[in-house]
Amino acid sequence: ETGVTQSPTHLIKTRGQQVTLRCSSQSGHNTVSWYQQALGQGPQFIFQYYREEENGRGNFPPRFSGLQFPNYSSELNVNALELDDSALYLCASSFPTGGGYGYTFGSGTRLTVV
Amino acid sequence: DAKTTQPNSMESNEEEPVHLPCNHSTISGTDYIHWYRQLPSQGPEYVIHGLTSNVNNRMASLAIAEDRKSSTLILHRATLRDAAVYYCILRDGGYSTLTFGKGTMLLVSP
């Protein structure tokens, strides 16, 4: 079984630019979540998608947006990049609903905003 | 979200058992107890989860107190590859996601 794949692995952007990060979910998983992890901190929840609909969002501004596609792959878009957006962005997929399932995480995309 | 409390760090020697504690005094009846770990430069990795009964898998064991207000992740024989940050997380039975705290950094010495 394949795991969660994220691309690119590293990215450098300039403040004010826009960025798109991509994620391929583990086979059979139709729920995907995105997290932001600043250096030295635990991951912070951005949003979650289930069957192409957003069904949960953390405390992030609207310039953070996402999409989930019919094949359950996903994108995270960030507009008007700020220096504080520099972080590791993690994608995680899961079976739907229930606290009784675990998430599978990708290795992340390291975004640096200069 | 119900919160968890973990020690900031713990140390162990290789091949010894490790008991990582977690307090969750405000846990609700529908909250599952999840453990993840994050090795350096990697995404978090699912370790184990449970609801009421103790659980075992190939990676670890999870011991849950009878009142469910605390739990312990048990690594039976620590290896150098177990050095990581371990997160104890409560997840309810709905569409909830994972709320990470700061976790416990486990240091393993040869």
Side-chain angles (χ1 to χ4, degrees), chain B residues 10-18 20 37 75 77-84 86 105-110:
Chain B
M10 292 185 64
E11 294 185 25
S12 175
N13 294 318
E14 204 174 8
E15 298 192 4
E16 289 185 354
V18 181
L20 297 165
R37 72 180 186 181
L75 307 179
R77 290 184 65 197
T79 70
L80 297 179
R81 288 174 295 178
D82 291 323
Y86 286 78
M105 178 174 289
L106 175 65
L107 305 171
V108 181
S109 302

Side-chain angles (χ1 to χ4, degrees), chain B residues 52-91:
Chain B
T52 56
S53 303
N54 295 344
V55 184
N56 300 297
N57 66 21
R58 63 177 179 81
M59 292 181 69
S61 296
L62 176 60
I64 301 173
E66 195 169 334
D67 64 5
R68 301 207 326 126
K69 294 185 176 181
S70 65
S71 61
T72 302
L73 179 70
I74 302 166
L75 307 179
H76 296 286
R77 290 184 65 197
T79 70
L80 297 179
R81 288 174 295 178
D82 291 323
V85 178
Y86 286 78
Y87 297 99
C88 170
I89 299 168
L90 301 183
R91 186 179 179 211

Side-chain angles (χ1 to χ4, degrees), chain A residues 57-113:
Chain A
R57 189 176 183 91
N59 189 26
F60 281 81
R63 58 189 186 85
F64 286 78
S65 63
L67 282 173
Q68 186 183 30
F69 300 101
N71 65 354
Y72 305 134
S73 65
S74 176
E75 285 182 357
L76 164 65
N77 298 289
V78 187
N79 293 322
L81 283 167
E82 301 177 359
L83 296 180
D84 286 347
D85 295 333
S86 295
L88 180 68
Y89 288 84
L90 296 160
C91 170
S93 70
S94 174
F95 290 110
T97 72
Y101 291 108
Y103 279 88
T104 302
F105 281 81
S107 296
T109 293
R110 172 72 61 187
L111 173 64
T112 302
V113 182

Side-chain angles (χ1 to χ4, degrees), chain A residues 2-3 5 17 22 35 46-47 56 62 66 69-71 73 84 94 99 104 106 114:
Chain A
T2 59
T5 305
Q17 286 187 316
R22 294 180 172 82
Y35 292 79
I46 303 175
F47 45 60
F69 300 101
N71 65 354
S73 65
D84 286 347
S94 174
T104 302
V114 297

